[in-house]
Amino acid sequence: MGFITQTHYQYYNTSQKFTATASQTVFTLTFDPLPTAESKFRIYINDEEIDDNLYTYNSSNGQITFSSGRTAGEVLVVTLTEQRSGNYRY
């Protein structure tokens, strides 16, 4: 039985993309493992980095909550700031 249970794309992917619906405030990350703090990722909306005081992050469930709803069609990209190697050991 293998130790890696994800596809290579999931294992090495360091960003996630979301398209907002009207007034959407909550977006849920599916990184494995989840980032442990807001300082571990950056958020870009329509290719512009946003200030981290516009949202809160819950590291236990991976939810990013914005203080105001997003506009329908906005593209959010969450990018990890550190290279991930998962649980890989050699």
Side-chain angles (χ1 to χ4, degrees):
M1 181 171 132
F3 291 108
I4 299 174
T5 59
Q6 304 160 308
T7 66
H8 70 286
Y9 177 79
Q10 292 168 323
Y11 187 80
Y12 291 107
N13 189 25
T14 59
S15 67
Q16 291 184 356
K17 182 178 179 179
F18 304 92
T19 302
T21 58
S23 301
Q24 184 175 2
T25 58
V26 178
F27 299 85
T28 303
L29 299 177
T30 58
F31 291 117
D32 185 18
L34 289 169
T36 56
E38 292 176 7
S39 62
K40 303 292 184 182
F41 59 87
R42 302 276 185 262
I43 299 178
Y44 300 86
I45 297 179
N46 297 332
D47 296 324
E48 291 187 31
E49 185 174 357
I50 63 163
D51 195 47
D52 58 0
N53 67 357
L54 297 177
Y55 62 89
T56 58
Y57 175 63
N58 182 330
S59 61
S60 64
N61 62 12
Q63 288 188 337
I64 296 169
T65 304
F66 285 88
S67 53
S68 63
R70 308 308 326 152
T71 302
E74 282 185 324
V75 176
L76 286 78
V77 177
V78 179
T79 304
L80 297 177
T81 58
E82 297 177 0
Q83 186 72 15
R84 292 187 333 158
S85 58
N87 295 325
Y88 177 77
R89 295 181 186 168
Y90 61 93

